[in-house]
Every structure is written in structure tokens, then in C-alpha cells.
Amino acid sequence: MVIQTQELTKYYGDKIGCNKISIEVAEGEAFGLLGPNGAGKSTFIKILTGLLFPTSGKAFVLNKPIGNVEARKKIGYLPENFKYQEWMTGVDLLSFHASLYKLAKKTIPAKLDEVLDIVNLKGHEKYRIGTYSKGMQQRAGIACALLCDPDLLFLDEPTSALDPIGRKEVRDIIIKLKDMGKTVFLNSHLLSEVEMVCDSAAIINKGNVVSFGKIQDILKSKITLKINAKINDVILEKLSVFGSNLIHRNDTIEISIENNDDIPDIAAVIINNGGKLYELTPSRQSLENAFLSAINGGDV
Ligand SMILES: Nc1ncnc2c1ncn2[C@@H]1O[C@H](COP(=O)(O)OP(=O)(O)OP(=O)(O)O)[C@@H](O)[C@H]1O
């Protein structure tokens, strides 16, 4: 496991930052940490990157206890809301960060070339950061985080300020990094982004984990079935036993079911009781629905 935490807890005085968080992130996966404002996401990332001490609990990053210097050398971190000096060129910015990483001088030009290529900024490196679009600045930030050739990359809200094109560009970079074998830990409010790029996720609320696992497992709990049919009261009553949140309006029925195998039985109930079935469409719930029900259901 690249990240393993056991009941990781942080109190700021008597205020909870994160509470008994136990999660695991496997090598090479993209992991999404989701939660509303103030849920504890940044606190958690700051502990894992060694910027904050936990109050209690344990955590291992790259198989070393948190704060271990060797492990930190293989971690890249892009903080939320970073702001670079606008007068610096792309080369100035990356060279400065390369010097912070203490990269050998002679290796720097090739390294800059490599990271500029990964984030698609080649050809823009001689221009000042102030002339970059927000998307380009975000990609320059990712390039800085890649200079140490990290095995594990923490990206705190990397797409929240970007337009759809900027988001797609960052998404494509995350997929590229995964293909290079890197593990990406993504903090995000944008659930569709996480759904598109992440393999696993945890949802936290008020410092507590309310859902954790593979994205498909988080989503699989409920299926929304949309039915277009002419039905009578008997059918409506029989349908209600198949699931929850039954809505019947005109000839449209919506019901949340847990099991795909119920679908043929639902069709049979309609047909065998004098109804007319025109359409039956199952859809998995979106991560947004899963998120909202985890947050509302896990009101801790
Ligand atoms: N330095 C601090 N001192 C006191 N309380 C803090 C400090 N940093 C965070 N907190 C509190 O800890 C809780 C978790 O905050 P945190 O910033 O980790 O949440 P978050 O999920 O990253 O929020 P956001 O999405 O708004 O960035 C919040 O209640 C916050 O007010």
C-alpha cells in the first residue's frame, strides 16, 4: 500500500480536524478524497505530507511512517490556491523549484523538458506566469510537483477554478501520470472529476469517513429504475415492495432498487397485471448522489 492510515486523528485545540480516519491507497491508483467545506480534507493531506502532526493514530506513506525524509523526497504536493510570482517565466519558476528540491544543476534542463512535456507546456516556458491562463498556471504547478520524480502525488483541488477545457487538460495529465505508474491522491469538490479519473475514493464529513472503497462499489449500492408504462393501483402497490423512493407521475415511474435481478420481475408485475410497458431504463447512481446520501446519512 502506498498510503495506509490507522485511526488518524487531528484536533486543533478542542476542535476536530479529522477523526479516526483509516484508509488505504494502493500503488498506481488515482484516489479521490471527497467532502464538503471544512470536512477535514486539507488537514488529512497536510498530515500525510508531514506538514502537520497528528494528535493520535498512525499513518504510513510509501511504506514509511509519516514525516520520514526518504519518503518525503518521493512525494509531490500541489497545494490548494497556490499563487506564483507573475513576473517569473515558466523556466524561472521551474528552475527555482528544482533548486528547492536540490536537483543537480546539470540535470535541470533535461528535467524541465521532461515535466513541461508531461503537462503540455512546451513552447510556453519562456513566457511570464502572468501571461498564463488559469489552466496553464495549474499545469505549471503540477510540473513543479513533478520535478522530484515523485512516486506519490498529492493534488489539492487541482481543477476547481478551471473551465471545462482546463479541467479536461488536468484530467488527461492525471491519467498520463497513472499510466506512468504514479499514485495520485486527489482532493476535490468536483464529484464528476473524481468519478472520471479515480479508481477509489473516500467521502469524509465533519472529520469522519462516511464511505470508502472502489468507485464502482461506492456507486453500486443503488440503481434508479425509470419506467415508462400505463399502470393501475394494483401494479403501483406491487411495485412499491421492490425498492424505495417510488415516484409516480403520469406514465412515468421512478424507483430505487438494490438488485439488477429485480428488473425482469418488475416488468412481469406490470405486464401480468394489465399494465402496458413502453420503456424500462436502469441507471447507476452518480457519485454526486452517493456523496449526498453518504453525507446526509452519515450525519456524525
Ligand atoms: N489551523 C487551524 N486551526 C484551527 N482549526 C482549523 C485549522 N485548520 C483547519 N481547521 C478546522 O478543521 C476543520 C477541517 O478543516 P480542513 O481545512 O481540513 O477542511 P477541508 O475539507 O480541507 O475544507 P475546504 O474544502 O474548505 O478546504 C474545519 O472545521 C476547520 O475550521
Side-chain angles (χ1 to χ4, degrees):
M1 287 293 155
V2 170
I3 298 173
Q4 199 169 20
T5 69
Q6 295 158 6
E7 306 212 326
L8 202 65
T9 300
K10 173 73 186 173
Y11 276 92
Y12 298 101
D14 57 2
K15 193 172 179 188
I16 196 82
C18 63
N19 188 33
K20 295 187 177 172
I21 296 192
S22 302
I23 60 158
E24 289 182 339
V25 179
E27 188 177 342
E29 71 174 1
F31 183 89
L33 184 63
L34 303 166
N37 288 332
K41 304 182 295 294
S42 296
T43 299
F44 189 64
I45 277 196
K46 284 178 186 162
I47 297 173
L48 295 183
T49 48
L51 299 172
L52 273 180
F53 288 110
T55 307
S56 62
K58 279 189 188 162
F60 298 88
V61 175
L62 298 170
N63 296 315
K64 299 274 190 317
I66 35 171
N68 176 278
V69 175
E70 285 314 306
R72 285 178 72 176
K73 283 182 184 165
K74 299 306 279 178
I75 293 175
Y77 172 45
L78 180 68
E80 189 182 8
N81 298 328
F82 62 85
K83 189 91 183 119
Y84 296 131
Q85 304 295 340
E86 298 201 339
W87 49 265
M88 281 183 152
T89 64
V91 171
D92 292 338
L93 175 77
L94 288 167
S95 303
F96 173 64
H97 280 259
S99 68
L100 295 177
Y101 280 120
K102 298 192 171 32
L103 296 193
K105 267 212 172 93
K106 61 174 192 241
T107 66
I108 291 178
K111 190 40 109 179
L112 262 52
D113 215 45
E114 184 189 321
V115 297
L116 284 164
D117 191 38
I118 295 173
V119 303
N120 292 327
L121 277 180
K122 255 192 179 165
H124 300 279
E125 66 272 26
K126 293 199 172 58
Y127 298 104
R128 292 181 193 274
I129 299 295
T131 68
Y132 284 15
S133 67
K134 274 191 185 152
M136 289 165 78
Q137 292 190 22
Q138 198 70 32
R139 284 184 280 139
I142 297 175
C144 289
L146 288 172
L147 284 166
C148 63
D149 193 20
D151 291 335
L152 169 63
L153 199 65
F154 287 98
L155 304 176
D156 200 348
E157 301 282 356
T159 57
S160 55
L162 305 185
D163 65 18
I165 296 169
R167 280 183 205 161
K168 162 113 178 55
E169 285 167 341
V170 171
R171 230 166 35 226
D172 289 345
I173 294 169
I174 294 173
I175 291 166
K176 205 188 278 183
L177 294 172
K178 252 180 60 172
D179 290 345
M180 291 166 70
K182 298 187 186 299
T183 307
V184 182
F185 189 106
L186 184 70
N187 243 356
S188 185
H189 286 108
L190 296 168
L191 305 175
S192 56
E193 302 287 307
V194 170
E195 196 168 348
M196 276 187 263
V197 297
C198 290
D199 307 287
S200 305
I203 300 174
I204 61 171
N205 189 27
K206 298 177 189 167
N208 294 272
V209 173
V210 289
S211 187
F212 164 61
K214 294 271 171 209
I215 296 280
Q216 63 266 33
D217 292 336
I218 293 176
L219 299 184
K220 87 170 180 200
S221 51
K222 285 229 162 72
I223 301 162
T224 302
L225 193 61
K226 268 197 182 157
I227 306 165
N228 189 267
K230 288 197 184 305
I231 60 167
N232 51 43
D233 289 347
V234 176
I235 296 174
L236 191 62
E237 200 180 319
K238 291 194 173 192
L239 288 182
S240 67
V241 300
F242 282 96
S244 55
N245 301 331
L246 179 79
I247 301 169
H248 179 214
R249 213 174 292 121
N250 301 324
D251 291 339
T252 303
I253 304 112
E254 229 182 83
I255 184 168
S256 295
I257 59 171
E258 309 244 334
N259 197 338
N260 250 339
D261 294 339
D262 286 341
I263 296 173
D265 296 340
I266 287 173
V269 161
I270 295 170
I271 294 160
N272 296 340
N273 290 281
K276 281 189 173 172
L277 178 61
Y278 298 103
E279 205 176 345
L280 202 148
T281 320
S283 61
R284 295 261 170 225
Q285 70 172 343
S286 66
L287 190 55
E288 185 163 324
N289 287 341
F291 176 80
L292 290 172
S293 68
I295 296 295
N296 295 331
D299 194 16
V300 282

